C-alpha cells in the first residue's frame, strides 16, 4: 500500500508517493485559483511518476498553509463579531486589543463586551445579559457580519454560558456560524479569544477549501480516507477542519521541518522553508521541530497553541519587488500561485524575487531574456535585501554560536545563497517537496480531555488511566503501538467541583500504520 | 534622576519584571497592555528617584493581589485601582503625591505604570520586594514598621473594602479572603506612607533595574545569545541547572497556585533530576533526594532554555526545557526579620535558610 502526501502552499502544490520510508515520486505543480486543479495535477503527476495503481493508495495526508497565509496576507478573511462575556471585568482590554491595526481592519474590529462570565470558582461574574446579545444579533445582521466568536471568561471550566450565548445569537441570526472559545483553546483569555476570532474569520475559506480537496480526490478516483495535518504534526479528519481551520496554522512548518529531517537524516539544524509567499524558519532538535515554549505569534497576534517555534517572514519566490523613492521593498505582498502568469520570467508584468534571482544569474527559471532590462543595481540591492532578510530570520532562530547547517527546502529556495553568514546550506534531494514528505509521514494522535474525580483514586493513577485511554484511541485510529509517545500531559484542578475533580488532558502520537511496511 | 517612560520602554520593563517575577506574580503582559493603553491616552509616566520626593509627600503603593492563573483569564475592568486609590485618599483626607511599586516582579511591576499614566502622579524608582512574593506583608515596608492599613481592596464588579488591621500579617489574611471572594483577584491601594519613611524602607532603583534587565534580554537575544549568562553577570547570580519538565503538579489553594515541577537535567546536568516547588513563585529548588540547592528569599529565575524568555509557573508544560538561575535577594531579606517574613520556614519547607552557593551541586 502507498501513502500520498500533498502540500498545498500559496504558490505550489506538491505531491509525493511514499512506500515505507522511500519517496517513490515527487511532483510540484502550481497552486491553482480553485485549489482543485493544482491538487489533481500534482497528485496525478506523482502517481504517474511512481507508476503505481491508484487503487493501492491507502491514505492521503494533506498539509496546507492556506489558512495561515490568509491571516498573514489579510486575505479571504470574513468580518467577525467578537463577543466577550465577562463585564464588568475585562473592560480595560477589549477584544483584539493587541492585534496589528491592518488585521483588525480586515476582521472588522467588531468587539462586543457583554455582562456575564465566570469567576475562577464557577460563580457568575454577572448573569448573562441576554437582552444585550439580542441587540448584538441585530447589529450582526445590520452590519452583515459573516461569523461570530464567543469567548467567556473562565469558559474552559464551564462552557454553558458560551453555549447559551450561541443559541441566542443563532436564534436571531439563523445559519450564522458561531465559534466558541472553549472548543479552541485553554485558559488565557486574550490568546484564546484571538484564536477564536481568527478561526471564525476563516470558516468560509475552510469550508470551501476542504470541499475542494474532497472533490479533487474523488474526481481523481481516490476513495481512501483523507486527513489534514495540524499544528503539532498530527492528522485531523478532513471534516473537522471545516470547523477548526485555526488548528492547522503551523502545520506547514511542522511538515516541512519533519520532511527536512527525514530527507537529510540531519537532526540538529535550522530549517528554512521558502515558499511562494512566506518563508518559515525553525530549528530541528533531535529531528523534531523545537516547540515554542511560550506564546506564539501568528500574523502579529499572540496565541497560546502548542506549535513549533517557527518564525515567518513575508518573503517567497513570488514576493513583489518594488522601487520606492530610491529604496527597494521586497514583499510581503506576493503574486502567489499566479507566479507562472505574472512574474516577468514567465512573460508577465510583475517584478518578483524569482525575476531578481534569474536577473542576478542565481537561478535559471523561465526566460532570462525577459528580465534582461532589469537594472543590475536594482537587482543587486534586491538580492542583498533578500539575503539580509534570510540572515536575520536564521539568526533569530539560532540560539547558539555552534555551526549547525541550514537546510533549505521549499520551491522558493532558489533565493537562498550557498551559505548564510558562517553557516553552510544543505539542499536535500526532493528539497522542493519536503512539505509533502512531512505530510506523508505525519503521525496519528489519540487524545483524552475530560474531568476525573480524585475521590477514590490518586492523580497519578488518573494520569496513567488517561494515558492508556489516549493510547487506545491512537491505536484505534491506526497508530503503530511501539511508536506511541506522549506529547501533552496536563491536569487542571477544578477546585469548586465536589469530589476533588481535575481536568486531565493527555495526547499521544504514533506513526500511522503502513508507514513502516 | 527623573526620567520619562513611554510606550516603547514598556516591552523591556515587562520582560525585566517577568524575570524578577521568579515564575510568579502573573505575566506582566496584561499590565503592559494596560499601561500602554493608559500612556496612549494620558501621556508618558515620570519615574523619580526616592530622594526627589519631599518627606511629607503621601506615597501610595498600588498593586493587584490574587492568583496569577486568575489574572491570565479574568482581566481587570481598569477602574477598580483608580477607585481604590481615590477611596484611600478620601479616608486619609490627603492626596497622594507619588506612587510606589510594591513588587518589581510579575504583573505588579507594570500595573503602577498604568496607574501613574492614568492619574498623572510620578512613580518612585524602587519597590518593596526586589522580586515577586506571594503575600502582601512580604515587603521591606513591614520590616520598617510601615502599616499596610488603612487600605482599600477593590474588584471589577464595583465592590470595595476599606480595611483597618492590627498587623500586616492580619491584612494579608483578611485581604486574601476578600480577594478570593472578589473572584480570585483584586486591586489594592495600601501601605500609605510619607516620603521620609518611604526613603528608609524602599529598595531603591529597582524600576530602573527591571528596565535594564529587559533591555539586556532584548539585546542578547538580538545578538543570538541566550541571555542567562549576561543576566547572571549583571545580578551576581549562578546557574542552578537546565532541565526538561517531566511533571507539573498544581493545585489552587486559598487563592494561591501551589505546585511542584519535576525536571530531568539536560546538557551538563544530564542524568540528574530536580524538583522546584512553587507557591505562585518558585520558592525552593531541590535535588531529586530533597537536598535544597536554592531557597527563598533568594531568587529562583526561569528562562526558556531555547529562546531565553522568562517563563512563569503557569506556562510550565510537559516537555519544556528551562534554565534556572539563582540570584541573591537584597541583604535586607537575609536578616532575621527578612527570613521570618519570607524564609523557607514561613512557606512550610523544612529547611534552615542557606544562601545558594555555586558549585554545590557538583
Amino acid at each position: 500500500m502507498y501513502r500520498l502526501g500533498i502540500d498545498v502552499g500559496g504558490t505550489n502544490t506538491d505531491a509525493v508517493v511514499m512506500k515505507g520510508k522511500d519517496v517513490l515520486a515527487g511532483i510540484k505543480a502550481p497552486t491553482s485559483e480553485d485549489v482543485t486543479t493544482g491538487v489533481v495535477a500534482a497528485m496525478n503527476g506523482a502517481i504517474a511518476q511512481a507508476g503505481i495503481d491508484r487503487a493501492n493508495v491507502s491514505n492521503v495526508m494533506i498539509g496546507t498553509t492556506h489558512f495561515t497565509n490568509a491571516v498573514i496576507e489579510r486575505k479571504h478573511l470574513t468580518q467577525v463579531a467578537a463577543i466577550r462575556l465577562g463585564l464588568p471585568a475585562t473592560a480595560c482590554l477589549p477584544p483584539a486589543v493587541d492585534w496589528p491595526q491592518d488585521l483588525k481592519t480586515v476582521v472588522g474590529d467588531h468587539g462586543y463586551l457583554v455582562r456575564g462570565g465566570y469567576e475562577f470558582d464557577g460563580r457568575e461574574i454577572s448573569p448573562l445579559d441576554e437582552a444585550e446579545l439580542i441587540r448584538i444579533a441585530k447589529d450582526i445582521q445590520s452590519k452583515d457580519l459573516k461569523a461570530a466568536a464567543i469567548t467567556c471568561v473562565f469558559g474552559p471550566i464551564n462552557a454553558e454560558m458560551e453555549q447559551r450565548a450561541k443559541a441566542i445569537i443563532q436564534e436571531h441570526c439563523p445559519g450564522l456560524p458561531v465559534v466558541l472559545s472553549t472548543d479552541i483553546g485553554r485558559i488565557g483569555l486574550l490568546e484564546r479569544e484571538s484564536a477564536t476570532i481568527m478561526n471564525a474569520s476563516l470558516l468560509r475559506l475552510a469550508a470551501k477549501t476542504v470541499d475542494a480537496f474532497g472533490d479533487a480526490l474523488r474526481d481523481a478516483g481516490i476513495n481512501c480516507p483523507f486527513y489534514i495535518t495540524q499544528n503539532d504534526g498530527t492528522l485531523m479528519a478532513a471534516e473537522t477542519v471545516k470547523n477548526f481551520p485555526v488548528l492547522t496554522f503551523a502545520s506547514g512548518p511542522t511538515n516541512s521541518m519533519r520532511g527536512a529531517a527525514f530527507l537529510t537524516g540531519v537532526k540538529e539544524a535550522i530549517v528554512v522553508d521558502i515558499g511562494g509567499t512566506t518563508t518559515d524558519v525553525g530549528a530541528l532538535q533531535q529531528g523534531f521541530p523545537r516547540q515554542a515554549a511560550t506564546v506564539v505569534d501568528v500574523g502579529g497576534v499572540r496565541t497560546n497553541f502548542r506549535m513549533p517555534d517557527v518564525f515567518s517572514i513575508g518573503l517567497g519566490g513570488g514576493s513583489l519587488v518594488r522601487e520606492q523613492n530610491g529604496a527597494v521593498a521586497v514583499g510581503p505582498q506576493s503574486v502567489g500561485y499566479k507566479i507562472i502568469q505574472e512574474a516577468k520570467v514567465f512573460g508577465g508584468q510583475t517584478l518578483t524575487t524569482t525575476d531578481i534571482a534569474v536577473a542576478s544569474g542565481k537561478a535559471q527559471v523561465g526566460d532570462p531574456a525577459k528580465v534582461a532590462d532589469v537594472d543590475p543595481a536594482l537587482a543587486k540591492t534586491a538580492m542583498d535585501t533578500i539575503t539580509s532578510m534570510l540572515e536575520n530570520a536564521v539568526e533569530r532562530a539560532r540560539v547558539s554560536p555552534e555551526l549547525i547547517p541550514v537546510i533549505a527546502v521549499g520551491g522558493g529556495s532558489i533565493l537562498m545563497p550557498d551559505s548564510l553568514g558562517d553557516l553552510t546550506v544543505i539542499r536535500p534531494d526532493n528539497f522542493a517537496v519536503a512539505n509533502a514528505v512531512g505530510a506523508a509521514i505525519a503521525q496519528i494522535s489519540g487524545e483524552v480531555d475530560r474531568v476525573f474525580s480524585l475521590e477514590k483514586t490518586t492523580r497519578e493513577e488518573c494520569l496513567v488511566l488517561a494515558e492508556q485511554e489516549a493510547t487506545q484511541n491512537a491505536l484505534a485510529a491506526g497508530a503503530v503501538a511501539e511508536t506511541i509517545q506522549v506529547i501533552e500531559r496536563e491536569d487542571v484542578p477544578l477546585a469548586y467541583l465536589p469530589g476533588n475533580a481535575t481536568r486531565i488532558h493527555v495526547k499521544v502520537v504514533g506513526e500511522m500504520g503502513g508507514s513502516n511496511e | 534622576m527623573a526620567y520619562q517612560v513611554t510606550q516603547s520602554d514598556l516591552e523591556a520593563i515587562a520582560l525585566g519584571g517577568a524575570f524578577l517575577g521568579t515564575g510568579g506574580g502573573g505575566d506582566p503582559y496584561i499590565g503592559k497592555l494596560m499601561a500602554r493603553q493608559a500612556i496612549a491616552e494620558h501621556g508618558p509616566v515620570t519615574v523619580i528617584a526616592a530622594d526627589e520626593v519631599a518627606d511629607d509627600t503621601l506615597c501610595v503603593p498600588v498593586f493587584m493581589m490574587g492568583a496569577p492563573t486568575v489574572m491570565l483569564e479574568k482581566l481587570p475592568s481598569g477602574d477598580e485601582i483608580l477607585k481604590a486609590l481615590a477611596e484611600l485618599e478620601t479616608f486619609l483626607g490627603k492626596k497622594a503625591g507619588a506612587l510606589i511599586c510594591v513588587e518589581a516582579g510579575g504583573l505588579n511591576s507594570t500595573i503602577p505604570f498604568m496607574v501613574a499614566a492614568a492619574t498623572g502622579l510620578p512613580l518612585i524608582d524602587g519597590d518593596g520586594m526586589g522580586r515577586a512574593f506571594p503575600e502582601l506583608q512580604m515587603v521591606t515596608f513591614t520590616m520598617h514598621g510601615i502599616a499596610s492599613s488603612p487600605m482599600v481592596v477593590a474588584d471589577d464588579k464595583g465592590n470595595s473594602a476599606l480595611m483597618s488591621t492590627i498587623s500586616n500579617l492580619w491584612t494579608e489574611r483578611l485581604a486574601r479572603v476578600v480577594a478570593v471572594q472578589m473572584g480570585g483577584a483584586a486591586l489594592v491601594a495600601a501601605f500609605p506612607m510619607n516620603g521620609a519613611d518611604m526613603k528608609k524602607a524602599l529598595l531603591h532603583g529597582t524600576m530602573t533595574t527591571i528596565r535594564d534587565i529587559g533591555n539586556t534580554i532584548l539585546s542578547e537575544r538580538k545578538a543570538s545569545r541566550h541571555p542567562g549568562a549576561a543576566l547572571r553577570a549583571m545580578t551576581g547570580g549562578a546557574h542552578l541547572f537546565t532541565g526538561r519538565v517531566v511533571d507539573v503538579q498544581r493545585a489552587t489553594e486559598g487563592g494561591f497556585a501551589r505546585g511542584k515541577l519535576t525536571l530531568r537535567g539536560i546538557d551538563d546536568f544530564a542524568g540528574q533530576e530536580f524538583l522546584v516547588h512553587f507557591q505562585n513563585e518558585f520558592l525552593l529548588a531541590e535535588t531529586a533526594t530533597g537536598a535544597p540547592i536554592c531557597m527563598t528569599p533568594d531568587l529562583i529565575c526561569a528562562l526558556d532554555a531555547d529562546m531565553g524568555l522568562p517563563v512563569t509557573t503557569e506556562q510550565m508544560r510537559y516537555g519544556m526545557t528551562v534554565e534556572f538561575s539563582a540570584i541573591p535577594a537584597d541583604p535586607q531579606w537575609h536578616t532575621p526579620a527578612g527570613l521570618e517574613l519570607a524564609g523557607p520556614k514561613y512557606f512550610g519547607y523544612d529547611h534552615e535558610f542557606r544562601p545558594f552557593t555555586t558549585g554545590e551541586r557538583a
Side-chain angles (χ1 to χ4, degrees):
Chain A
M1 296 301 273
Y2 305 97
R3 298 147 63 80
L4 198 56
I6 300 175
D7 180 81
V8 187
T11 311
N12 287 303
T13 299
D14 309 336
V16 295
V17 175
M18 291 187 68
K19 181 176 171 60
K21 295 199 181 300
D22 300 321
V23 180
L24 302 184
I27 282 285
K28 216 168 184 43
T31 295
S32 56
E33 189 144 24
D34 65 350
V35 183
T36 325
T37 318
V39 168
V40 171
M43 192 170 62
N44 285 340
I47 290 172
Q49 196 184 58
I52 60 159
D53 179 351
R54 66 187 60 211
N56 291 334
V57 173
S58 61
N59 300 96
V60 177
M61 287 81 164
I62 302 178
T64 176
T65 53
H66 234 60
F67 307 123
T68 327
N69 283 351
V71 172
I72 292 172
E73 293 186 55
R74 283 72 163 121
K75 275 186 187 167
H76 308 297
L77 302 173
T78 57
Q79 300 243 320
V80 171
I83 303 169
R84 185 195 292 165
L85 316 178
L87 277 186
T90 80
C92 68
L93 298 170
V97 62
D98 52 350
W99 286 31
Q101 190 54 47
D102 57 344
L103 182 59
K104 229 193 257 191
T105 308
V106 173
V107 178
D109 206 3
H110 307 290
Y112 299 92
L113 295 171
V114 181
R115 293 183 74 85
Y118 297 106
E119 302 284 7
F120 72 97
D121 54 6
R123 283 178 295 155
E124 291 181 353
I125 294 173
S126 351
L128 184 62
D129 187 345
E130 304 199 349
E132 175 66 6
L133 285 167
I134 294 169
R135 198 194 65 73
I136 292 168
K138 287 183 181 140
D139 208 42
I140 290 171
Q141 282 181 320
S142 71
K143 288 182 177 163
D144 194 26
L145 305 182
K146 300 301 180 199
I150 300 178
T151 307
C152 176
V153 174
F154 278 108
I157 63 162
N158 188 349
E160 202 181 309
M161 217 179 262
E162 285 191 1
Q163 285 158 356
R164 175 71 191 132
K166 177 180 179 175
I168 294 169
I169 294 290
Q170 285 186 327
E171 189 188 325
H172 293 84
C173 302
L176 183 82
V178 176
V179 182
L180 303 185
S181 83
T182 47
D183 290 331
I184 299 288
R186 61 183 92 220
I187 294 281
L189 184 79
L190 290 178
E191 293 85 358
R192 185 175 77 254
E193 179 177 69
S194 292
T196 310
I197 298 169
M198 284 194 270
N199 194 73
S201 77
L202 285 165
L203 287 176
R204 198 157 69 174
L205 181 65
K208 205 173 127 187
T209 309
V210 171
D211 285 342
F213 288 152
D215 293 347
L217 293 175
R218 211 169 26 251
D219 293 350
I222 290 187
N223 295 305
C224 65
F226 84 105
Y227 303 87
I228 290 178
T229 57
Q230 52 180 332
N231 297 335
D232 55 10
T234 65
L235 300 162
M236 178 159 52
E239 279 305 303
T240 315
V241 180
K242 284 187 181 176
N243 296 324
F244 302 110
V246 90
L247 300 182
T248 69
F249 261 17
S251 69
T254 304
N255 290 341
S256 73
M257 289 172 74
R258 287 188 31 88
F262 184 87
L263 292 171
T264 56
V266 173
K267 296 202 182 305
E268 307 284 334
I270 291 171
V271 178
V272 179
D273 180 1
I274 311 180
T277 305
T278 56
T279 294
D280 296 321
V281 183
L284 273 179
Q285 280 180 329
Q286 286 140 31
F288 284 88
R290 182 172 67 206
Q291 296 293 312
T294 49
V295 288
V296 190
D297 189 292
V298 178
V301 177
R302 222 169 109 114
T303 66
N304 60 1
F305 297 120
R306 185 189 168 89
M307 302 212 287
D309 197 347
V310 166
F311 172 55
S312 293
I313 55 173
L315 170 69
S319 296
L320 306 193
V321 177
R322 283 155 303 174
E323 211 174 354
Q324 289 161 334
N325 316 324
V328 175
V330 177
Q333 287 78 17
S334 167
V335 294
Y337 62 87
K338 290 182 180 154
I339 187 166
I340 52 160
Q341 292 108 43
E342 297 195 1
K344 287 181 107 110
V345 287
F346 298 119
Q349 298 298 318
T350 312
L351 185 63
T352 67
T353 49
T354 296
D355 299 315
I356 294 294
V358 173
S360 314
K362 308 261 184 213
Q364 277 142 11
V365 207
D367 181 359
K370 297 215 162 81
V371 289
D373 63 331
V374 172
D375 176 4
L378 167 69
K380 186 177 182 312
T381 314
M383 213 57 220
D384 289 348
T385 306
I386 292 166
T387 303
S388 87
M389 286 169 87
L390 289 170
E391 261 172 18
N392 287 342
V394 166
E395 281 305 319
R396 189 170 155 166
R398 182 181 173 186
V399 285
S400 78
E402 270 171 66
L403 295 176
I404 52 173
V406 172
I407 305 176
V409 295
S413 54
I414 52 166
L415 301 180
M416 176 67 91
D418 291 332
S419 65
L420 264 189
D422 53 348
L423 303 179
T424 41
V425 173
I426 306 177
R427 282 171 231 268
D429 289 345
N430 295 309
F431 70 87
V433 291
N435 275 356
V437 171
I441 61 166
Q443 295 168 308
I444 195 90
S445 64
E447 211 165 350
V448 168
D449 187 353
R450 62 183 172 84
V451 175
F452 287 75
S453 167
L454 300 183
E455 196 110 89
K456 294 193 178 78
T457 175
T458 63
R459 167 180 173 270
E460 285 69 26
E461 279 174 4
C462 288
L463 283 169
V464 169
L465 203 69
E467 207 171 300
Q468 284 168 352
E469 226 177 283
T471 303
Q472 283 309 316
N473 294 345
L475 292 174
V480 178
E482 53 271 27
T483 62
I484 285 180
Q485 53 174 324
V486 180
I487 59 163
E488 276 180 50
R489 200 168 89 132
E490 75 181 349
D491 57 320
V492 182
L494 304 175
Y496 71 98
L497 284 180
N500 197 7
T502 187
R503 177 177 171 176
I504 292 181
H505 179 208
V506 174
K507 187 168 190 172
V508 304
V509 297
E511 305 289 337
M512 180 74 112
S515 61
N516 294 319
E517 284 166 20
Chain B
M1 277 299 293
Y3 59 90
Q4 303 267 298
V5 166
T6 63
Q7 289 189 57
S8 62
D9 298 314
L10 291 171
E11 179 71 30
I13 290 170
L15 267 178
F19 184 70
L20 290 192
T22 61
D27 185 346
Y29 183 69
I30 301 293
K32 180 182 82 175
L33 288 182
M34 289 169 70
R36 195 176 77 183
Q37 298 269 96
I39 290 176
E41 200 176 324
H42 305 281
V45 169
T46 304
V47 174
I48 55 172
D51 57 21
E52 294 174 73
V53 179
D55 282 353
D56 61 349
T57 298
L58 174 62
C59 307
V60 181
V62 285
F63 54 98
M64 187 179 240
M65 79 184 284
T69 37
V70 169
M71 300 178 200
L72 278 181
E73 179 67 20
K74 191 182 74 159
L75 313 174
S77 80
D79 297 332
E80 56 275 73
I81 186 63
L82 304 177
K83 181 181 160 87
L85 180 62
E87 288 185 3
L88 185 64
E89 286 176 331
T90 304
F91 179 78
L92 293 169
K94 190 171 180 183
K95 287 280 178 194
L99 297 171
I100 305 177
C101 171
V102 103
E103 183 175 29
L107 180 64
N108 277 329
S109 63
T110 45
I111 290 277
F113 288 92
M114 173 253 171
V115 186
T119 57
L121 290 171
L123 177 64
I124 298 168
D125 189 1
D127 81 311
M129 295 184 185
R131 50 165 297 161
F133 269 130
E135 296 184 11
L136 176 146
Q137 80 283 5
M138 295 173 178
V139 281
T140 50
F141 312 142
T142 303
M143 289 187 235
H144 290 266
I146 296 170
S148 50
S149 74
M151 69 180 287
V152 178
V153 188
D155 77 4
D156 40 59
K157 294 164 280 289
N159 300 302
S160 64
L162 174 71
M163 304 181 81
S164 180
T165 60
I166 58 165
S167 74
N168 292 352
L169 184 59
W170 270 104
T171 311
E172 162 60 31
R173 288 175 186 157
L174 297 174
R176 189 67 57 184
V177 174
V178 171
V180 169
Q181 282 306 309
M182 284 177 164
L187 282 133
V188 185
F191 294 98
M193 64 185 92
N194 64 38
D197 289 341
M198 175 275 291
K199 287 169 207 174
K200 278 182 240 149
L202 195 76
L203 297 176
H204 293 259
T206 50
M207 293 294 96
T208 305
T209 306
I210 55 172
R211 190 193 61 183
D212 293 348
I213 288 175
N215 280 325
T216 300
I217 295 174
L218 291 172
S219 62
E220 289 291 295
R221 273 169 52 85
K222 205 168 169 202
S224 299
R225 285 189 297 263
H226 192 280
L231 294 178
R232 289 189 289 271
M234 192 177 157
T235 54
H239 186 182
L240 286 176
F241 61 87
T242 301
R244 187 176 299 279
V245 177
V246 292
D247 192 46
V248 188
Q249 202 169 320
R250 302 176 196 277
T252 302
E253 291 165 12
F256 290 119
R258 287 175 210 262
K260 185 173 82 173
L261 298 175
T262 308
L263 297 108
R264 200 162 290 154
I266 59 167
D267 302 337
D268 295 349
F269 302 89
Q272 300 179 65
E273 207 169 83
F274 300 93
L275 303 173
V276 179
H277 300 263
F278 57 90
Q279 180 172 319
N280 290 11
E281 287 74 36
F282 303 116
L283 294 177
L284 172 65
E286 295 174 323
T287 63
T289 55
I293 50 177
C294 183
M295 61 182 100
T296 178
D298 284 343
L299 286 72
I300 301 171
C301 299
L303 292 173
D304 166 15
D306 299 318
M307 297 310 284
L309 290 175
V311 274
T312 60
T313 55
E314 62 262 31
Q315 286 169 335
M316 289 292 169
R317 289 184 198 164
Y318 179 85
M320 267 179 69
T321 54
V322 189
E323 181 196 279
F324 279 92
S325 298
I327 293 175
D330 186 276
Q332 289 207 43
W333 286 116
H334 291 157
T335 62
L339 292 174
E340 195 188 321
L341 275 178
K345 290 265 161 69
Y346 182 85
F347 292 102
Y349 303 120
D350 193 20
H351 295 299
E352 287 301 330
F353 174 76
R354 267 188 314 158
F356 69 90
T357 49
T358 55
E360 199 171 15
R361 62 183 180 273

